[in-house]
Amino acid sequence: MRLVIARCSVDYAGRLTAHLPSAPRLILVKADGSVSIHADDRAYKPLNWMSPPCTLKEGTGDDANVWTVVNKAGEKLIITMEEVLHDSSHELGPDPGLIKDGVEAHLQELLADRIDTLGEGYTLIRREYMTAIGPVDILCRDASGATVAVEIKRRGEIDGVEQLTRYLELLNRDPHLAPVRGVFAAQEIKPQARVLANDRGMDCVVLDYNALRGIEDDKLRLF
């Protein structure tokens, strides 16, 4: 991973245009080729980013201070450096990935086995569907055949919604899966997370662990 702290401005050109004016920022260049620009005021989402596959080209000569990141769709992220304050690279090695706690992992297993509890006609595609940024807990289809990505948490908070948002962004680029909608499922969903999920077109499902195990009523509450 390469870490660059620089005073820079950023321009995005693609399906829409966006501009970040000059300011000190952290730029992350990861081994998978992704580039993301961060401010010092948030933990869950960069200011702008380019997901893999993409290529980074550092300028030369008069354009030595310009980085251009291009993805396969031809969208560009142009970073204009004014002053580089720090530039270092670090080998992180293979990551073991997120290890879910026992309840969360069991919720995933139970819901996959009883996927029709999400709705009549739902069918499982697979658990732990791998993407470039990690596995989606459950990928399934609803009664109409549309693809649904399910993110499962024991406690549903804003960072879980953001995680599902990133998965949906990638999955919807796959013409064999798109359009893909999201379901955010948890034993407890915080009000702020529910508002954000609904604003992004996701369904929220409150999971009853005992009900999924067949101990109590097996109905899920879908909001």
Side-chain angles (χ1 to χ4, degrees):
M1 178 183 291
R2 184 177 178 186
L3 308 175
V4 178
I5 299 175
R7 178 173 290 278
C8 63
S9 60
V10 183
D11 292 279
Y12 171 82
R15 291 165 293 178
L16 49 82
T17 59
H19 174 71
L20 293 173
S22 175
R25 297 188 175 94
L26 168 64
I27 303 167
L28 297 182
V29 183
K30 295 187 178 181
D32 62 4
S34 63
V35 178
S36 56
I37 295 95
H38 299 259
D40 199 19
D41 66 342
R42 66 196 72 192
Y44 58 88
K45 188 175 181 179
L47 296 168
N48 214 326
W49 69 94
M50 193 69 81
S51 300
C54 58
T55 57
L56 166 63
K57 181 180 179 181
E58 297 184 41
T60 58
D62 293 340
D63 294 326
N65 64 325
V66 178
W67 289 12
T68 304
V69 188
V70 184
N71 67 12
K72 63 180 180 180
E75 299 167 317
K76 294 183 179 180
L77 195 64
I78 302 170
I79 307 169
T80 304
M81 306 286 191
E82 298 172 14
E83 181 184 9
V84 176
L85 305 172
H86 175 86
D87 189 346
S88 64
S89 296
H90 308 270
E91 180 59 53
L92 301 185
D95 190 273
L98 177 66
I99 300 175
K100 297 178 179 291
D101 66 35
V103 172
E104 198 169 303
H106 200 202
L107 280 170
Q108 182 193 114
E109 180 183 352
L110 290 169
L111 189 57
D113 287 342
R114 304 176 65 184
I115 196 65
D116 59 343
T117 56
L118 288 176
E120 186 177 351
Y122 272 69
T123 56
L124 179 69
I125 297 176
R126 67 168 296 166
R127 292 172 54 196
E128 298 287 329
Y129 185 90
M130 187 56 64
T131 74
I133 57 173
V136 177
D137 286 334
I138 291 177
L139 198 67
C140 58
R141 295 193 188 278
D142 63 17
S144 69
T147 311
V148 181
V150 185
E151 179 63 25
I152 299 172
K153 299 293 184 187
R154 185 170 60 84
R155 181 172 175 157
E157 301 188 82
I158 283 177
D159 58 349
V161 178
E162 293 291 352
Q163 183 179 357
L164 180 54
T165 299
R166 292 191 292 271
Y167 288 145
L168 290 172
E169 181 186 356
L170 285 178
L171 293 170
N172 273 299
R173 295 179 186 178
D174 187 338
H176 299 293
L177 297 176
V180 185
R181 65 180 179 87
V183 170
F184 187 54
Q187 288 181 284
E188 174 192 3
I189 299 178
K190 294 296 183 180
Q192 300 92 331
R194 185 184 298 280
V195 169
L196 182 60
N198 292 159
D199 183 67
R200 295 183 177 179
M202 303 172 187
D203 290 328
C204 290
V205 175
V206 176
L207 300 175
D208 187 321
Y209 184 57
N210 286 330
L212 282 172
R213 294 167 63 200
I215 296 176
E216 297 178 3
D217 191 317
D218 63 354
K219 291 182 181 178
L220 297 178
R221 298 192 298 279
L222 179 61
F223 297 87

